[in-house]
Amino acid sequence: MTDRHNEILHFSKNWQQQLAEAFNKIDDLCDYLNLSPDDLPISLAALEDFALRVPLSFAASMEKGNPHDPLLRQVLPVKEEVQIYPGFSIDPVGDIQAVAQAGVLHKYQGRVLFINTGSCAINCRYCFRRNFPYAELQLTKQKEAAAIQYIREDSSVAEVILSGGDPLLLNDARLAHLIQQLSDIRHLKRIRIHSRLPVVLPARITDELIDILSQSPVQIVVVIHCNHANEINKRVIPACKSLKENGLILFNQSVLLKGVNDNAAVLCDLSEKLFSHGIIPYYLHLLDKASGTGHFEVAETEALKLIRQIQDTLPGYLVPKLVKEQAGAASKQYLFRPA
Ligand SMILES: *Cc1c(COP(=O)(O)O)cnc(C)c1O
Ligand code: SF4
């Protein structure tokens, strides 16, 4: 069968099957992209450290034959990952310190983050999750009750952020139950869902999921994660449209990544494309300095220069807030354009 036929068949399957068929072998991904593994700076040590995982929907947006494709760069295990970069560590943002109890991160006033699952549909090489002891921390079904009790007992908590890993990897029943339980807490104003699935596995946005989210008694905010306009393909667009049309508020967060989006034109394109599909640019994060990610770093001075160029080009509401995470700080740290 041709690639084209394989793709049609693949995309006709449900999201769990599509996830099960995600690329997990370098050779298969290279074959699909018409690249030779020998022409890429692949590291087997890096691969062993953090597995390859790429859904076909995401890989399908990569340019065939381009070893420098900005989407490929986000997922390819490369030699630079095993180099030592000064200042990069296992827990750069102090998350381990902020664990209030299993599965619950309480770092900021009024907001609590739930680590619902340790897994994601895609393994992003730049992610601090690669070093995080998620298996121990994630909210199992048993621990979930205790986490909900924690929210119930702290009336200062106005918002619960479902995160991970990727919370939309929970099945519908589990998600519906969680939202139901949280909705019963009187002081809770919002549930926020941080998910990369609308972008990397849009098949997850089923009618059933939309029903669960749109029928929630508390307001739901969805923050997607997209770093480059090419990620917004013909499957992502209807998934976002469906969320949007059913009353969900959509924001996007990106990470500023060398060789992926460290360019004003690329970032402007991303903002424009997001907005044309009803998604508001929220944050542009500086890289968290997690071991294995040093080759993605963009210097702060360079980041500020890029933001200034975007500010000089786009309306203010299309300029994402440039932020960095600082261990122990009371909020994300905003980086401002120097006067
Ligand atoms: C980023 C983050 C939040 C949310 O911060 P906002 O600025 O409200 O988007 C909450 N908790 C933790 C632990 C976070 O890392
Ligand atoms: S948490 Fe987000 S950035 Fe990290 S691997 Fe999962 S999808 Fe990628």
Side-chain angles (χ1 to χ4, degrees):
M1 266 200 298
T2 61
D3 272 1
R4 181 93 198 100
H5 280 115
N6 277 330
E7 282 181 29
I8 291 169
L9 181 64
H10 174 87
F11 293 128
S12 70
K13 297 179 181 172
N14 69 28
W15 69 272
Q16 288 96 340
Q17 285 170 310
Q18 290 191 27
L19 182 61
E21 291 178 10
F23 288 106
N24 55 14
K25 293 197 182 68
I26 300 262
D27 287 351
D28 293 347
L29 180 62
C30 285
D31 265 3
Y32 174 74
L33 294 173
N34 302 331
L35 289 167
S36 160
D38 297 337
D39 298 336
L40 298 167
I42 291 163
S43 160
L44 295 179
L47 181 66
E48 207 163 290
D49 188 42
F50 190 44
L52 177 87
R53 195 172 210 199
V54 192
L56 180 59
S57 183
F58 189 79
S61 296
M62 296 175 189
E63 188 194 355
K64 303 248 168 131
N66 179 4
H68 306 293
D69 180 88
L71 277 56
L72 176 61
R73 185 169 160 84
Q74 295 178 50
V75 297
L76 196 69
V78 294
K79 297 199 171 98
E80 290 157 310
E81 291 179 31
V82 288
Q83 283 172 26
I84 304 288
Y85 287 81
F88 283 69
S89 65
I90 299 284
D91 181 28
V93 300
D95 271 0
I96 293 171
Q97 282 291 320
V99 173
Q101 64 177 66
V104 179
L105 284 181
H106 197 172
K107 242 178 164 172
Y108 301 151
Q109 171 71 37
R111 286 148 293 169
V112 163
L113 191 145
F114 276 14
I115 300 169
N116 293 95
T117 157
S119 38
C120 292
I122 187 167
N123 282 348
C124 310
R125 310 309 298 184
Y126 54 84
C127 183
F128 70 102
R129 190 179 74 85
R130 57 183 299 148
N131 305 314
F132 209 63
Y134 274 101
E136 296 145 50
L137 289 175
Q138 67 175 299
L139 280 180
T140 57
K141 239 181 184 162
Q142 295 75 30
K143 291 177 187 162
E144 197 173 281
I148 289 164
Q149 187 60 23
Y150 178 91
I151 309 294
R152 220 177 260 132
E153 284 169 5
D154 185 344
S155 62
S156 75
V157 177
E159 180 167 0
V160 169
I161 300 170
L162 307 184
S163 183
D166 203 306
L168 292 185
L169 284 185
L170 295 180
N171 66 35
D172 288 350
R174 180 103 187 262
L175 206 57
H177 181 70
L178 181 58
I179 291 172
Q180 179 56 53
Q181 298 256 98
L182 289 171
S183 305
D184 288 342
I185 301 174
R186 295 268 293 278
H187 55 266
L188 201 75
K189 296 197 177 87
R190 280 179 301 281
I191 297 171
R192 191 193 320 179
I193 297 178
H194 278 184
S195 174
R196 192 143 158 71
L197 291 200
V199 175
V200 302
L201 192 70
R204 174 66 184 104
I205 313 305
T206 58
D207 293 345
E208 293 74 22
L209 178 69
I210 296 276
D211 282 347
I212 291 168
L213 300 181
S214 61
Q215 286 162 17
S216 161
V218 281
Q219 204 170 21
I220 294 198
V221 176
V222 177
V223 182
I224 67 167
H225 172 179
C226 177
N227 300 314
H228 193 288
N230 292 0
E231 293 171 35
I232 306 169
N233 63 33
K234 62 179 186 218
R235 290 168 297 277
V236 174
I237 292 167
C240 291
K241 186 170 181 217
S242 168
L243 288 165
K244 180 90 188 149
E245 282 178 349
N246 285 282
L248 295 149
I249 297 163
L250 288 180
F251 292 112
N252 178 61
Q253 52 183 344
S254 310
V255 182
L256 182 57
L257 299 165
K258 193 162 157 189
V260 174
N261 59 10
D262 57 333
N263 170 298
V266 166
L267 290 169
C268 287
D269 266 4
L270 173 60
S271 277
E272 287 281 11
K273 195 156 178 190
L274 286 166
F275 190 72
S276 73
H277 298 294
I279 306 155
I280 313 272
Y282 178 39
Y283 278 155
L284 177 61
H285 294 267
L286 286 189
L287 185 73
D288 292 330
K289 297 191 180 199
S291 316
T293 68
H295 56 295
F296 284 114
E297 193 183 20
V298 178
E300 269 186 50
T301 47
E302 178 61 23
L304 281 165
K305 225 188 281 173
L306 288 169
I307 278 293
R308 194 177 319 145
Q309 285 174 290
I310 302 170
Q311 281 177 320
D312 290 346
T313 312
L314 294 181
Y317 57 87
L318 292 190
V319 182
K321 297 179 178 89
L322 180 64
V323 290
K324 71 172 173 182
E325 183 89 24
Q326 205 157 62
S331 73
K332 309 250 187 269
Q333 306 295 294
Y334 289 50
L335 280 83
F336 291 106
R337 168 185 183 159

PDB file of all heavy atoms in Angstrom, residues 215-242:
ATOM      1  N   GLN A 215     -20.580  20.331  28.789  1.00  0.00           N
ATOM      2  CA  GLN A 215     -21.654  20.217  29.783  1.00  0.00           C
ATOM      3  C   GLN A 215     -21.165  20.430  31.212  1.00  0.00           C
ATOM      4  O   GLN A 215     -21.937  20.336  32.162  1.00  0.00           O
ATOM      5  CB  GLN A 215     -22.325  18.841  29.656  1.00  0.00           C
ATOM      6  CG  GLN A 215     -23.217  18.769  28.411  1.00  0.00           C
ATOM      7  CD  GLN A 215     -23.544  17.337  28.022  1.00  0.00           C
ATOM      8  OE1 GLN A 215     -23.391  16.416  28.807  1.00  0.00           O
ATOM      9  NE2 GLN A 215     -24.001  17.163  26.791  1.00  0.00           N
ATOM     10  N   SER A 216     -19.895  20.735  31.356  1.00  0.00           N
ATOM     11  CA  SER A 216     -19.359  20.938  32.701  1.00  0.00           C
ATOM     12  C   SER A 216     -20.037  22.123  33.390  1.00  0.00           C
ATOM     13  O   SER A 216     -20.183  23.187  32.802  1.00  0.00           O
ATOM     14  CB  SER A 216     -17.854  21.210  32.602  1.00  0.00           C
ATOM     15  OG  SER A 216     -17.405  21.818  33.788  1.00  0.00           O
ATOM     16  N   PRO A 217     -20.448  21.942  34.637  1.00  0.00           N
ATOM     17  CA  PRO A 217     -21.082  23.053  35.366  1.00  0.00           C
ATOM     18  C   PRO A 217     -20.094  24.203  35.640  1.00  0.00           C
ATOM     19  O   PRO A 217     -20.506  25.342  35.720  1.00  0.00           O
ATOM     20  CB  PRO A 217     -21.533  22.423  36.680  1.00  0.00           C
ATOM     21  CG  PRO A 217     -21.435  20.945  36.480  1.00  0.00           C
ATOM     22  CD  PRO A 217     -20.423  20.704  35.413  1.00  0.00           C
ATOM     23  N   VAL A 218     -18.817  23.903  35.810  1.00  0.00           N
ATOM     24  CA  VAL A 218     -17.837  24.994  35.955  1.00  0.00           C
ATOM     25  C   VAL A 218     -17.208  25.272  34.601  1.00  0.00           C
ATOM     26  O   VAL A 218     -17.102  24.395  33.744  1.00  0.00           O
ATOM     27  CB  VAL A 218     -16.693  24.702  36.962  1.00  0.00           C
ATOM     28  CG1 VAL A 218     -17.128  24.900  38.378  1.00  0.00           C
ATOM     29  CG2 VAL A 218     -16.077  23.357  36.734  1.00  0.00           C
ATOM     30  N   GLN A 219     -16.779  26.524  34.463  1.00  0.00           N
ATOM     31  CA  GLN A 219     -16.185  26.948  33.202  1.00  0.00           C
ATOM     32  C   GLN A 219     -14.906  26.146  32.910  1.00  0.00           C
ATOM     33  O   GLN A 219     -14.126  25.883  33.823  1.00  0.00           O
ATOM     34  CB  GLN A 219     -15.832  28.426  33.341  1.00  0.00           C
ATOM     35  CG  GLN A 219     -15.751  29.155  32.044  1.00  0.00           C
ATOM     36  CD  GLN A 219     -15.646  30.656  32.260  1.00  0.00           C
ATOM     37  OE1 GLN A 219     -15.250  31.127  33.327  1.00  0.00           O
ATOM     38  NE2 GLN A 219     -15.989  31.414  31.249  1.00  0.00           N
ATOM     39  N   ILE A 220     -14.721  25.794  31.646  1.00  0.00           N
ATOM     40  CA  ILE A 220     -13.499  25.068  31.267  1.00  0.00           C
ATOM     41  C   ILE A 220     -12.703  25.888  30.267  1.00  0.00           C
ATOM     42  O   ILE A 220     -13.242  26.423  29.292  1.00  0.00           O
ATOM     43  CB  ILE A 220     -13.823  23.674  30.692  1.00  0.00           C
ATOM     44  CG1 ILE A 220     -14.442  22.811  31.795  1.00  0.00           C
ATOM     45  CG2 ILE A 220     -12.562  23.010  30.129  1.00  0.00           C
ATOM     46  CD1 ILE A 220     -14.436  21.330  31.538  1.00  0.00           C
ATOM     47  N   VAL A 221     -11.421  26.010  30.554  1.00  0.00           N
ATOM     48  CA  VAL A 221     -10.496  26.715  29.675  1.00  0.00           C
ATOM     49  C   VAL A 221      -9.528  25.671  29.133  1.00  0.00           C
ATOM     50  O   VAL A 221      -9.034  24.840  29.896  1.00  0.00           O
ATOM     51  CB  VAL A 221      -9.703  27.782  30.475  1.00  0.00           C
ATOM     52  CG1 VAL A 221      -8.665  28.464  29.606  1.00  0.00           C
ATOM     53  CG2 VAL A 221     -10.656  28.798  31.101  1.00  0.00           C
ATOM     54  N   VAL A 222      -9.295  25.697  27.831  1.00  0.00           N
ATOM     55  CA  VAL A 222      -8.362  24.736  27.249  1.00  0.00           C
ATOM     56  C   VAL A 222      -7.131  25.485  26.750  1.00  0.00           C
ATOM     57  O   VAL A 222      -7.243  26.446  25.987  1.00  0.00           O
ATOM     58  CB  VAL A 222      -9.021  23.961  26.080  1.00  0.00           C
ATOM     59  CG1 VAL A 222      -8.023  23.001  25.432  1.00  0.00           C
ATOM     60  CG2 VAL A 222     -10.249  23.193  26.561  1.00  0.00           C
ATOM     61  N   VAL A 223      -5.971  25.072  27.228  1.00  0.00           N
ATOM     62  CA  VAL A 223      -4.719  25.662  26.757  1.00  0.00           C
ATOM     63  C   VAL A 223      -3.991  24.601  25.934  1.00  0.00           C
ATOM     64  O   VAL A 223      -3.573  23.575  26.471  1.00  0.00           O
ATOM     65  CB  VAL A 223      -3.833  26.143  27.929  1.00  0.00           C
ATOM     66  CG1 VAL A 223      -2.562  26.801  27.394  1.00  0.00           C
ATOM     67  CG2 VAL A 223      -4.591  27.117  28.826  1.00  0.00           C
ATOM     68  N   ILE A 224      -3.917  24.835  24.636  1.00  0.00           N
ATOM     69  CA  ILE A 224      -3.216  23.877  23.781  1.00  0.00           C
ATOM     70  C   ILE A 224      -1.733  24.240  23.734  1.00  0.00           C
ATOM     71  O   ILE A 224      -1.321  25.277  24.275  1.00  0.00           O
ATOM     72  CB  ILE A 224      -3.829  23.805  22.358  1.00  0.00           C
ATOM     73  CG1 ILE A 224      -3.606  25.105  21.584  1.00  0.00           C
ATOM     74  CG2 ILE A 224      -5.294  23.454  22.430  1.00  0.00           C
ATOM     75  CD1 ILE A 224      -3.898  24.997  20.088  1.00  0.00           C
ATOM     76  N   HIS A 225      -0.946  23.411  23.119  1.00  0.00           N
ATOM     77  CA  HIS A 225       0.498  23.644  23.057  1.00  0.00           C
ATOM     78  C   HIS A 225       0.955  23.405  21.624  1.00  0.00           C
ATOM     79  O   HIS A 225       0.939  22.279  21.143  1.00  0.00           O
ATOM     80  CB  HIS A 225       1.184  22.705  24.057  1.00  0.00           C
ATOM     81  CG  HIS A 225       2.683  22.700  23.968  1.00  0.00           C
ATOM     82  ND1 HIS A 225       3.465  21.942  24.803  1.00  0.00           N
ATOM     83  CD2 HIS A 225       3.556  23.343  23.160  1.00  0.00           C
ATOM     84  CE1 HIS A 225       4.743  22.123  24.499  1.00  0.00           C
ATOM     85  NE2 HIS A 225       4.826  22.953  23.500  1.00  0.00           N
ATOM     86  N   CYS A 226       1.325  24.502  20.980  1.00  0.00           N
ATOM     87  CA  CYS A 226       1.718  24.460  19.585  1.00  0.00           C
ATOM     88  C   CYS A 226       2.901  25.416  19.407  1.00  0.00           C
ATOM     89  O   CYS A 226       2.856  26.549  19.890  1.00  0.00           O
ATOM     90  CB  CYS A 226       0.508  24.912  18.761  1.00  0.00           C
ATOM     91  SG  CYS A 226       0.789  25.028  17.014  1.00  0.00           S
ATOM     92  N   ASN A 227       3.940  24.947  18.757  1.00  0.00           N
ATOM     93  CA  ASN A 227       5.162  25.763  18.654  1.00  0.00           C
ATOM     94  C   ASN A 227       5.412  26.346  17.276  1.00  0.00           C
ATOM     95  O   ASN A 227       6.275  27.213  17.119  1.00  0.00           O
ATOM     96  CB  ASN A 227       6.384  24.907  19.039  1.00  0.00           C
ATOM     97  CG  ASN A 227       6.289  24.390  20.453  1.00  0.00           C
ATOM     98  OD1 ASN A 227       5.965  25.141  21.369  1.00  0.00           O
ATOM     99  ND2 ASN A 227       6.541  23.105  20.645  1.00  0.00           N
ATOM    100  N   HIS A 228       4.731  25.824  16.269  1.00  0.00           N
ATOM    101  CA  HIS A 228       5.022  26.237  14.899  1.00  0.00           C
ATOM    102  C   HIS A 228       3.729  26.148  14.074  1.00  0.00           C
ATOM    103  O   HIS A 228       2.952  25.195  14.256  1.00  0.00           O
ATOM    104  CB  HIS A 228       6.093  25.309  14.310  1.00  0.00           C
ATOM    105  CG  HIS A 228       6.695  25.802  13.035  1.00  0.00           C
ATOM    106  ND1 HIS A 228       5.997  25.808  11.844  1.00  0.00           N
ATOM    107  CD2 HIS A 228       7.908  26.333  12.766  1.00  0.00           C
ATOM    108  CE1 HIS A 228       6.768  26.313  10.891  1.00  0.00           C
ATOM    109  NE2 HIS A 228       7.939  26.641  11.422  1.00  0.00           N
ATOM    110  N   ALA A 229       3.542  27.106  13.185  1.00  0.00           N
ATOM    111  CA  ALA A 229       2.296  27.140  12.391  1.00  0.00           C
ATOM    112  C   ALA A 229       2.069  25.840  11.614  1.00  0.00           C
ATOM    113  O   ALA A 229       0.917  25.435  11.399  1.00  0.00           O
ATOM    114  CB  ALA A 229       2.320  28.335  11.435  1.00  0.00           C
ATOM    115  N   ASN A 230       3.147  25.161  11.211  1.00  0.00           N
ATOM    116  CA  ASN A 230       2.981  23.912  10.449  1.00  0.00           C
ATOM    117  C   ASN A 230       2.255  22.827  11.241  1.00  0.00           C
ATOM    118  O   ASN A 230       1.775  21.854  10.660  1.00  0.00           O
ATOM    119  CB  ASN A 230       4.353  23.342  10.027  1.00  0.00           C
ATOM    120  CG  ASN A 230       5.050  24.210   8.991  1.00  0.00           C
ATOM    121  OD1 ASN A 230       4.509  25.235   8.578  1.00  0.00           O
ATOM    122  ND2 ASN A 230       6.260  23.831   8.607  1.00  0.00           N
ATOM    123  N   GLU A 231       2.228  22.974  12.566  1.00  0.00           N
ATOM    124  CA  GLU A 231       1.550  21.954  13.379  1.00  0.00           C
ATOM    125  C   GLU A 231       0.029  22.012  13.212  1.00  0.00           C
ATOM    126  O   GLU A 231      -0.685  21.059  13.527  1.00  0.00           O
ATOM    127  CB  GLU A 231       1.906  22.136  14.867  1.00  0.00           C
ATOM    128  CG  GLU A 231       3.367  21.858  15.159  1.00  0.00           C
ATOM    129  CD  GLU A 231       3.792  22.238  16.579  1.00  0.00           C
ATOM    130  OE1 GLU A 231       2.989  22.098  17.513  1.00  0.00           O
ATOM    131  OE2 GLU A 231       4.946  22.685  16.738  1.00  0.00           O
ATOM    132  N   ILE A 232      -0.451  23.182  12.749  1.00  0.00           N
ATOM    133  CA  ILE A 232      -1.901  23.369  12.635  1.00  0.00           C
ATOM    134  C   ILE A 232      -2.344  22.853  11.268  1.00  0.00           C
ATOM    135  O   ILE A 232      -2.426  23.586  10.298  1.00  0.00           O
ATOM    136  CB  ILE A 232      -2.270  24.852  12.841  1.00  0.00           C
ATOM    137  CG1 ILE A 232      -1.687  25.345  14.176  1.00  0.00           C
ATOM    138  CG2 ILE A 232      -3.784  25.044  12.812  1.00  0.00           C
ATOM    139  CD1 ILE A 232      -1.755  26.838  14.361  1.00  0.00           C
ATOM    140  N   ASN A 233      -2.606  21.553  11.192  1.00  0.00           N
ATOM    141  CA  ASN A 233      -2.924  20.935   9.903  1.00  0.00           C
ATOM    142  C   ASN A 233      -4.429  20.741   9.720  1.00  0.00           C
ATOM    143  O   ASN A 233      -5.226  21.159  10.559  1.00  0.00           O
ATOM    144  CB  ASN A 233      -2.137  19.615   9.755  1.00  0.00           C
ATOM    145  CG  ASN A 233      -2.527  18.594  10.819  1.00  0.00           C
ATOM    146  OD1 ASN A 233      -3.672  18.535  11.254  1.00  0.00           O
ATOM    147  ND2 ASN A 233      -1.560  17.788  11.245  1.00  0.00           N
ATOM    148  N   LYS A 234      -4.797  20.070   8.663  1.00  0.00           N
ATOM    149  CA  LYS A 234      -6.224  19.942   8.324  1.00  0.00           C
ATOM    150  C   LYS A 234      -7.022  19.054   9.287  1.00  0.00           C
ATOM    151  O   LYS A 234      -8.243  19.001   9.204  1.00  0.00           O
ATOM    152  CB  LYS A 234      -6.369  19.444   6.880  1.00  0.00           C
ATOM    153  CG  LYS A 234      -5.766  18.070   6.654  1.00  0.00           C
ATOM    154  CD  LYS A 234      -5.953  17.622   5.216  1.00  0.00           C
ATOM    155  CE  LYS A 234      -5.460  16.200   5.078  1.00  0.00           C
ATOM    156  NZ  LYS A 234      -4.775  15.904   3.848  1.00  0.00           N
ATOM    157  N   ARG A 235      -6.350  18.353  10.158  1.00  0.00           N
ATOM    158  CA  ARG A 235      -7.075  17.600  11.189  1.00  0.00           C
ATOM    159  C   ARG A 235      -7.185  18.415  12.480  1.00  0.00           C
ATOM    160  O   ARG A 235      -8.157  18.306  13.231  1.00  0.00           O
ATOM    161  CB  ARG A 235      -6.361  16.270  11.465  1.00  0.00           C
ATOM    162  CG  ARG A 235      -6.467  15.263  10.330  1.00  0.00           C
ATOM    163  CD  ARG A 235      -5.530  14.092  10.502  1.00  0.00           C
ATOM    164  NE  ARG A 235      -4.133  14.516  10.494  1.00  0.00           N
ATOM    165  CZ  ARG A 235      -3.435  14.722   9.377  1.00  0.00           C
ATOM    166  NH1 ARG A 235      -3.989  14.539   8.200  1.00  0.00           N
ATOM    167  NH2 ARG A 235      -2.178  15.138   9.440  1.00  0.00           N
ATOM    168  N   VAL A 236      -6.166  19.238  12.709  1.00  0.00           N
ATOM    169  CA  VAL A 236      -6.156  20.063  13.924  1.00  0.00           C
ATOM    170  C   VAL A 236      -7.239  21.147  13.843  1.00  0.00           C
ATOM    171  O   VAL A 236      -7.925  21.438  14.835  1.00  0.00           O
ATOM    172  CB  VAL A 236      -4.755  20.710  14.097  1.00  0.00           C
ATOM    173  CG1 VAL A 236      -4.743  21.685  15.265  1.00  0.00           C
ATOM    174  CG2 VAL A 236      -3.683  19.627  14.270  1.00  0.00           C
ATOM    175  N   ILE A 237      -7.398  21.717  12.649  1.00  0.00           N
ATOM    176  CA  ILE A 237      -8.329  22.841  12.484  1.00  0.00           C
ATOM    177  C   ILE A 237      -9.772  22.468  12.879  1.00  0.00           C
ATOM    178  O   ILE A 237     -10.369  23.150  13.722  1.00  0.00           O
ATOM    179  CB  ILE A 237      -8.237  23.416  11.045  1.00  0.00           C
ATOM    180  CG1 ILE A 237      -6.863  24.081  10.870  1.00  0.00           C
ATOM    181  CG2 ILE A 237      -9.362  24.415  10.768  1.00  0.00           C
ATOM    182  CD1 ILE A 237      -6.489  24.412   9.428  1.00  0.00           C
ATOM    183  N   PRO A 238     -10.328  21.368  12.347  1.00  0.00           N
ATOM    184  CA  PRO A 238     -11.702  21.038  12.782  1.00  0.00           C
ATOM    185  C   PRO A 238     -11.797  20.673  14.261  1.00  0.00           C
ATOM    186  O   PRO A 238     -12.825  20.941  14.900  1.00  0.00           O
ATOM    187  CB  PRO A 238     -12.099  19.853  11.891  1.00  0.00           C
ATOM    188  CG  PRO A 238     -10.863  19.402  11.200  1.00  0.00           C
ATOM    189  CD  PRO A 238      -9.873  20.500  11.243  1.00  0.00           C
ATOM    190  N   ALA A 239     -10.739  20.072  14.821  1.00  0.00           N
ATOM    191  CA  ALA A 239     -10.768  19.724  16.254  1.00  0.00           C
ATOM    192  C   ALA A 239     -10.878  21.009  17.091  1.00  0.00           C
ATOM    193  O   ALA A 239     -11.704  21.090  18.014  1.00  0.00           O
ATOM    194  CB  ALA A 239      -9.517  18.937  16.641  1.00  0.00           C
ATOM    195  N   CYS A 240     -10.095  22.007  16.756  1.00  0.00           N
ATOM    196  CA  CYS A 240     -10.134  23.267  17.506  1.00  0.00           C
ATOM    197  C   CYS A 240     -11.453  23.995  17.272  1.00  0.00           C
ATOM    198  O   CYS A 240     -12.025  24.589  18.183  1.00  0.00           O
ATOM    199  CB  CYS A 240      -8.945  24.153  17.137  1.00  0.00           C
ATOM    200  SG  CYS A 240      -7.383  23.459  17.729  1.00  0.00           S
ATOM    201  N   LYS A 241     -11.927  23.907  16.034  1.00  0.00           N
ATOM    202  CA  LYS A 241     -13.179  24.571  15.699  1.00  0.00           C
ATOM    203  C   LYS A 241     -14.326  23.982  16.534  1.00  0.00           C
ATOM    204  O   LYS A 241     -15.175  24.700  17.068  1.00  0.00           O
ATOM    205  CB  LYS A 241     -13.454  24.380  14.201  1.00  0.00           C
ATOM    206  CG  LYS A 241     -14.636  25.138  13.690  1.00  0.00           C
ATOM    207  CD  LYS A 241     -14.702  25.094  12.172  1.00  0.00           C
ATOM    208  CE  LYS A 241     -15.903  25.913  11.708  1.00  0.00           C
ATOM    209  NZ  LYS A 241     -16.577  25.326  10.564  1.00  0.00           N
ATOM    210  N   SER A 242     -14.300  22.680  16.662  1.00  0.00           N
ATOM    211  CA  SER A 242     -15.344  22.011  17.406  1.00  0.00           C
ATOM    212  C   SER A 242     -15.303  22.401  18.899  1.00  0.00           C
ATOM    213  O   SER A 242     -16.343  22.646  19.519  1.00  0.00           O
ATOM    214  CB  SER A 242     -15.167  20.521  17.183  1.00  0.00           C
ATOM    215  OG  SER A 242     -15.935  19.793  18.037  1.00  0.00           O
TER     216      SER A 242
END
